[in-house]
Amino acid sequence: MAMMDNIDFLIAHIRHSFITSDDTSMCELIMECESSNNNNNNTQRAGYRGSTGAYLKRDMSDSGGSEGVEGMDSGDGDFLSHSHDILPDMDYGAHRRRSNTAQRLDIMRKDKQAKGKVKSIPWKDAPVTLTVEERASLFEKKEVAVITPDGDATEGETPKKVSKLSKLLEDFSKYGENPYMEYAKFDGRSCVTPTKKIDIFLTMAPPKERAYPMTVVVITTAKVQDLIGLICWQYTCEGREPKLQHGVNHYCLHIAEDDGEVDADFPSLDNREPVLKFGFGKLALVECTPTIIPKHSFVVTINVPNRGFNKFQVDSLNMPMRSILEKVINRRKIRTRPGLYYNLEKQSEPGVSIDLDANLAHMDTMEFCMVRENSTRGDREEAPHHNELSHVADSLTSHQYKSFMVMMVHRLRANTEVQLGVSGEKVEIDPVQVRSSIRLIRQKPVTHEADSIADCDLLEKKSNGRGVFRLTYLTEHNYKHHDFEADVGVAMEIVQKLKNILELRLSPARKEFITTQDRKLRKRDSLKYSI
Amino acid sequence: MSMGGNATDPVILATAGYDHTIRFWQAHSGICHRTVQHNDSQVNALEITPDKGMIAVAGYQHIRMFDLNSMNPNPLINYDGISKNVTAVGFHNEMKWMYTGGEDNTARIWDLRTRNLQCQRIFQVNAPVNCVCLHPNQGELFVGDQSGSIHIWDLKTDNNEHLIPEPDAAIQSLSIDPMGTMMAAVNNKGKCYIWTMTGGRLDEPTQLHPKKKFNAHSKYALKCLFSPDSTLLATTSADQTCCIWRTADLSLMTKLRDQNQRWVWDCAFSGDSQYIITASSDNTARLWSVDGGDVKREYSGHQKAVVCLAFRDEVVS
């Protein structure tokens, strides 16, 4: 070392070696007290300032020699005899752990020191007079080399110019693309942002290598999913074998023991959580068994007015809507001419085009409608057609048994909940038992044969979205009825179902009911006219 | 000043912008291999020294030089004493001096030689300087400013001239082709101007002859650059594209666009003019094939907009 002949430096160095290697910190106490007696603080600080001044001066003259030696020669022994790593805790009494302030001061001082090494060149406004020679040597115009284009006539055989970058790109592509490239940005090895170092045991590696983890440095803002991607990326980059076959979703991270054993008692880390949440320094990358592959695919439905719909499986919610639109257009082989564009709308919001650059995650829905620009859905024309189809389907399935939960309306007491079972043969009314309430009148389960049912009709639609319907049946010689209340949709379904059944059977009870109904109507009409 | 001339890496790519970091990339793989903190301001411009020893980083009130051949996180040299943003930086091809332009309405020459005289020269204009371009003859500086003027500063004779292609349309970028036969300028209206150049030898000043004026972009243009073989001109813009024009007839060759790409601030051609690298506000830089117009690599990792890049390539055969 160049400075071994400097006594001050040697003494300081020995001091510091004692202090830094002494765990009891007794050395520090004794030595610091001693040294602070020798130099008071002020001279120390002045020395510091003086030395930075020397740095500046040197910058201007620029010796190009070793800075350290020059610093010593300028007589700044005071400054250099103190280690930059050790601060006497003078302000806090001798025996205390270093406070935050002291640590911060330390950082500031180190910062300043680093800056001291930076050569600083300020702008000088003083005009400099240049001699003619200097001017000529500095600012003379040069001949500009003429670049001969490729395939010059005189040198017809010159090969096409290739740059280093093109060559590297070509070489690199031979190795194949790293499919996990998008996760490279979570690599913290070359970052200045906060990072976290984690040892990853690779359970897919050959048994010999399994005990040696791969160290990964991840930026702290990454999620577990990103970390898995980063591991896959680094694994592929390092050319490890066997090659990873699957996407990021096929791997998960488990807590691991120091020897690399996977701790199976705990579930794998949640992919959506930030890495920072988990404090583990050792993890294991495990291939998910098929049952626990997280279902991260989503099904998107795109309706095309009058042309049905397309369903797509989408792997990520980060997919921009534009690419979904492109998928539809490609799948349907729609020809896009310039000036003819398609937009997407949420199925629930007709007429409102969505931003195609936004991601699926921002849509809150998975059902969309594709509409040509400056055009509307016009799905009202479609609706009746659709209904007719379902109508036929309904009538075919209406004899099948189906049960509904409805409220039975009584004339004098509160409604009770019943299960209404409707099939082609009969209608069953089963009260739902309510244990807590005491009922004076116990409702009994009733069954009406389909042949005894005369009619079923919707009586009213209430404003609260409920509907009341009446089931008329024949007992002995009287027509009686039950009233039920249910959601309008359900009520209409039951009514429709029963009407279908009645239509198919056309029982004597039904016939008779219709004729009496007709007679009543006619009587009423004749009364009306007679008045 | 000792310049670490023994550069090992033949291809250097650095990007920087609003996140106060400078990232160095392996251009062919897209891997970031070094990040340097630029604490006190955003980075406005980057330039690699001709000997590939250092990179100049122009920020607010400073130009800092970082070592390219070590992992030293601190700058080696700090040029300061400027009152506002430094918007442009570049070098004499033999590293005799460095030129800068700034929002303090000046272009400056900084002496880079070590033991010799201090030579610092200043050229005052009337508006903030947006761009400075050195003629390949190393003797004339072209300075574009916010008022729409282009100044030609002959460094040896100190003569200067200026022209205004369009009043009140800030000159955003200037480029001179490597053979010194053409100059391009773009302004904040998206217009591009082309001149042919004559003269520029010995004491003869360069003469500009208007060749063509055309609408390169519908919005703010940000950068123009001739390719190393002078056959192409790239213009970048706030309309989220980079356009590549053939210099022969100024017809559009390719429009580089990506659905995620936002403002395109800066660009650089590969040594063989086959690829172009762009820097965009979507925190990403991209490598495109000029012929295919497709993205070959993405350089992602910046946390904020990338507004400048420095690239150095070599021609091997």
Side-chain angles (χ1 to χ4, degrees):
Chain A
M1 279 177 70
M3 287 177 280
M4 281 304 176
D5 60 344
N6 186 321
I7 295 164
D8 289 339
F9 171 79
L10 278 177
I11 289 173
H13 181 69
I14 293 165
R15 254 174 214 278
H16 300 149
S17 303
F18 265 100
I19 292 171
T20 50
S21 60
D22 176 30
D23 290 337
T24 63
S25 77
M26 292 305 283
C27 279
E28 184 179 6
L29 248 183
I30 295 161
M31 287 184 176
E32 287 298 342
C33 286
E34 197 186 344
S35 65
S36 56
N37 286 343
N38 290 347
N39 330 298
N40 70 47
N41 246 358
N42 285 341
T43 57
Q44 192 181 322
R45 231 178 282 141
Y48 189 77
R49 208 179 294 139
S51 92
T52 42
Y55 273 108
L56 287 179
K57 259 178 269 155
R58 201 166 52 251
D59 287 341
M60 298 329 299
S61 62
D62 192 69
S63 67
S66 158
E67 298 187 352
V69 172
E70 199 174 307
M72 297 298 252
D73 292 345
S74 64
D76 265 322
D78 277 351
F79 169 56
L80 285 166
S81 67
H82 286 86
S83 165
H84 306 300
D85 302 324
I86 300 165
L87 245 196
D89 291 332
M90 294 293 289
D91 302 346
Y92 305 100
H95 218 94
R96 249 178 81 167
R97 280 191 70 84
R98 302 180 55 213
S99 69
N100 286 339
T101 324
Q103 284 173 24
R104 209 179 310 140
L105 281 171
D106 205 23
I107 292 166
M108 278 167 68
R109 201 165 33 77
K110 273 189 183 151
D111 214 40
K112 207 166 181 182
Q113 210 184 324
K115 274 194 189 136
K117 283 187 193 139
V118 179
K119 186 160 136 178
S120 185
I121 300 182
W123 180 262
K124 277 200 292 191
D125 271 332
V128 182
T129 46
L130 294 168
T131 62
V132 177
E133 293 84 50
E134 282 164 354
R135 213 171 248 274
S137 81
L138 281 171
F139 302 114
E140 192 61 73
K141 291 194 190 87
K142 295 182 184 176
E143 279 292 321
V144 179
V146 176
I147 302 159
T148 49
D150 294 332
D152 198 62
T154 50
E155 289 175 70
E157 273 141 59
T158 40
K160 205 169 158 53
K161 276 183 194 162
V162 175
S163 80
K164 195 81 192 166
L165 174 71
S166 302
K167 233 181 147 73
L168 285 169
L169 278 168
E170 200 180 300
D171 293 348
F172 190 73
S173 59
K174 281 180 198 153
Y175 296 112
E177 294 274 311
N178 187 331
Y180 308 102
M181 196 63 213
E182 60 180 303
Y183 296 98
K185 63 179 168 208
F186 299 105
D187 189 12
R189 285 178 295 186
S190 60
C191 265
V192 282
T193 47
T195 56
K196 192 172 155 62
K197 201 174 188 175
I198 305 172
D199 289 335
I200 306 291
F201 292 98
L202 304 158
T203 53
M204 61 291 291
K208 265 193 245 166
E209 294 168 27
R210 253 177 241 170
Y212 303 102
M214 179 174 81
T215 305
V216 169
V217 183
V218 64
I219 60 171
T220 47
T221 49
K223 294 194 170 72
V224 171
Q225 171 95 16
D226 305 330
L227 174 58
I228 295 174
L230 175 65
I231 296 166
C232 294
W233 174 77
Q234 196 172 325
Y235 185 103
T236 312
C237 274
E238 293 178 4
R240 287 174 186 257
E241 295 288 335
K243 290 202 163 56
L244 299 180
Q245 300 296 335
H246 308 291
V248 167
N249 288 343
H250 281 73
Y251 300 95
C252 56
L253 284 174
H254 277 270
I255 301 163
E257 308 281 352
D258 282 354
D259 59 356
E261 197 189 322
V262 178
D263 200 329
D265 297 340
F266 293 99
S268 62
L269 308 188
D270 189 342
N271 282 356
R272 287 156 297 178
E273 293 291 350
V275 169
L276 206 59
K277 192 179 160 185
F278 305 99
F280 310 109
K282 290 188 165 56
L283 293 169
L285 186 70
V286 182
E287 245 174 82
C288 296
T289 49
T291 48
I292 52 170
I293 292 171
K295 264 273 176 196
H296 275 311
S297 59
F298 307 90
V299 176
V300 179
T301 310
I302 312 282
N303 294 302
V304 184
N306 301 327
R307 285 179 182 79
F309 59 89
N310 284 76
K311 273 185 192 284
F312 292 98
Q313 212 164 39
V314 174
D315 296 327
S316 144
L317 281 176
N318 292 331
M319 192 167 200
M321 296 310 294
R322 189 178 298 282
S323 48
I324 291 174
L325 178 64
E326 277 161 12
K327 268 190 170 185
V328 184
I329 289 172
N330 288 340
R331 173 107 36 118
R332 292 188 164 248
K333 300 198 173 65
I334 297 173
R335 256 196 231 142
T336 48
R337 273 168 282 136
L340 174 65
Y341 298 106
Y342 287 90
N343 283 333
L344 284 178
E345 295 173 355
K346 288 182 192 177
Q347 186 64 24
S348 52
E349 293 174 21
V352 187
S353 306
I354 56 167
D355 180 8
L356 290 178
D357 291 323
N359 288 342
L360 182 58
H362 298 130
M363 292 298 141
D364 308 319
T365 176
M366 290 289 161
E367 205 165 328
F368 302 93
C369 186
M370 187 171 89
V371 182
R372 214 165 36 196
E373 200 178 51
N374 305 324
S375 169
T376 53
R377 292 184 200 183
D379 49 359
R380 276 177 208 91
E381 294 112 58
E382 191 194 15
H385 178 65
H386 176 76
N387 274 0
E388 209 171 273
L389 271 177
S390 68
H391 189 72
V392 174
D394 281 351
S395 68
L396 288 172
T397 57
S398 54
H399 64 281
Q400 286 169 0
Y401 178 82
K402 193 171 177 186
S403 75
F404 306 89
M405 295 302 287
V406 295
M407 301 299 284
M408 195 164 182
V409 182
H410 303 283
R411 227 170 295 168
L412 296 171
R413 55 193 171 99
N415 295 354
T416 53
E417 196 174 9
V418 295
Q419 189 182 342
L420 190 67
V422 184
S423 72
E425 270 78 45
K426 55 195 169 189
V427 172
E428 298 167 285
I429 302 163
D430 281 329
V432 177
Q433 294 297 332
V434 184
R435 219 173 282 167
S436 58
S437 62
I438 305 149
R439 298 213 174 279
L440 294 171
I441 313 150
R442 282 229 159 247
Q443 177 146 14
K444 284 172 196 153
V446 196
T447 304
H448 299 290
E449 291 299 325
D451 283 347
S452 71
I453 292 167
D455 193 20
C456 181
D457 217 345
L458 199 66
L459 288 186
E460 65 168 321
K461 280 183 192 173
K462 292 186 180 173
S463 57
N464 59 2
R466 307 278 290 177
V468 178
F469 64 95
R470 171 166 291 179
L471 182 72
T472 314
Y473 58 95
L474 184 71
T475 54
E476 316 297 326
H477 300 290
N478 287 331
Y479 285 105
K480 291 190 171 177
H481 59 82
H482 296 301
D483 288 351
F484 299 95
E485 194 184 294
D487 284 324
V488 170
V490 178
M492 298 232 299
E493 194 189 338
I494 298 169
V495 169
Q496 192 57 49
K497 193 175 170 77
L498 276 164
K499 280 216 166 125
N500 287 336
I501 292 169
L502 292 174
E503 215 167 287
L504 285 172
R505 295 191 82 90
L506 209 63
S507 63
R510 170 78 179 158
K511 272 184 198 159
E512 202 183 329
F513 180 76
I514 291 170
T515 47
T516 46
Q517 281 294 49
D518 281 351
R519 214 181 298 140
K520 271 186 197 165
L521 270 177
R522 237 176 281 137
K523 211 184 270 176
R524 213 178 292 158
D525 283 352
S526 61
L527 272 173
K528 238 187 256 171
Y529 293 126
S530 62
I531 289 171
Chain B
M1 189 165 63
S2 62
M3 296 287 184
N6 51 341
T8 45
D9 212 346
V11 180
I12 303 165
L13 173 63
T15 58
Y18 293 164
D19 68 354
H20 294 202
T21 62
I22 303 139
R23 281 176 178 266
F24 296 87
W25 307 87
Q26 230 176 22
H28 63 278
S29 67
I31 296 170
C32 173
H33 61 83
R34 182 186 173 197
T35 309
V36 171
Q37 197 82 39
H38 185 263
N39 276 324
D40 32 18
S41 82
Q42 85 287 355
V43 178
N44 301 318
L46 289 173
E47 181 73 16
I48 296 164
T49 57
D51 66 359
K52 296 187 187 175
M54 295 194 282
I55 184 164
V57 179
Y60 179 67
Q61 297 186 331
H62 297 273
I63 304 109
R64 294 202 171 82
M65 306 277 270
F66 289 89
D67 194 5
L68 280 178
N69 300 312
S70 73
M71 292 301 265
N72 183 359
N74 294 307
L76 295 177
I77 310 167
N78 177 18
Y79 293 93
D80 58 14
I82 310 158
S83 64
K84 288 178 181 164
N85 266 312
V86 182
T87 52
V89 61
F91 294 93
H92 179 261
N93 65 2
E94 287 167 25
M95 306 252 327
K96 286 177 179 168
W97 37 264
M98 170 174 79
Y99 61 88
T100 62
E103 291 180 350
D104 59 353
N105 304 2
T106 63
R108 294 167 198 253
I109 301 285
W110 304 72
D111 198 348
L112 291 178
R113 295 163 312 153
T114 50
R115 293 173 191 284
N116 228 311
L117 73 166
Q118 273 286 321
C119 136
Q120 310 207 109
R121 298 176 65 191
I122 194 159
F123 182 65
Q124 190 81 38
V125 296
N126 298 321
V129 171
N130 283 338
C131 51
V132 182
C133 179
L134 177 62
H135 190 289
N137 69 18
Q138 309 295 312
E140 287 167 298
L141 271 191
F142 291 72
V143 179
D145 71 24
Q146 270 184 26
S147 71
S149 296
I150 298 172
H151 306 265
I152 308 168
W153 180 20
D154 188 312
L155 295 169
K156 190 179 171 197
T157 62
D158 236 349
N159 286 336
N160 72 78
E161 278 182 52
H162 86 276
L163 69 152
I164 301 173
E166 184 181 349
D168 299 322
I171 302 293
Q172 292 297 321
S173 177
L174 289 167
S175 177
I176 298 174
D177 81 298
M179 289 193 281
T181 58
M182 278 179 289
M183 184 171 88
V186 286
N187 68 18
N188 63 359
K189 304 267 168 71
K191 284 214 173 67
C192 182
Y193 294 82
I194 310 283
W195 292 266
T196 51
M197 301 167 99
T198 54
R201 289 175 173 201
L202 301 172
D203 289 338
E204 190 190 339
T206 293
Q207 300 284 327
L208 292 177
H209 314 281
K211 186 184 176 193
K212 190 164 179 177
K213 159 188 164 183
F214 63 103
N215 277 323
H217 295 275
S218 55
K219 290 181 182 169
Y220 231 94
L222 294 163
K223 169 94 180 178
C224 61
L225 182 71
F226 282 104
S227 66
D229 62 4
S230 298
T231 61
L232 305 172
L233 171 72
T235 57
T236 74
S237 160
D239 69 4
Q240 317 193 339
T241 66
C242 171
C243 288
I244 296 176
W245 313 83
R246 294 181 193 88
T247 47
D249 54 359
L250 293 166
S251 59
L252 180 65
M253 181 184 175
T254 330
K255 198 168 217 172
L256 307 175
R257 59 161 92 235
D258 183 280
Q259 56 180 353
N260 293 319
Q261 186 159 274
R262 288 163 58 198
W263 284 34
V264 187
W265 289 89
D266 203 353
C267 62
F269 280 100
S270 69
D272 54 5
S273 308
Q274 295 298 308
Y275 297 95
I276 187 167
I277 301 171
T278 59
S280 170
S281 288
D282 66 349
N283 310 355
T284 309
R286 291 182 177 80
L287 172 75
W288 312 73
S289 134
V290 167
D291 282 334
D294 51 330
V295 179
K296 295 283 182 192
R297 291 284 175 277
E298 288 204 342
Y299 309 97
S300 61
H302 278 289
Q303 307 296 314
K304 287 185 180 167
V306 188
V307 301
C308 56
L309 61 86
F311 177 68
R312 200 50 77 80
D313 194 6
E314 274 175 9
V315 176
V316 281
S317 60

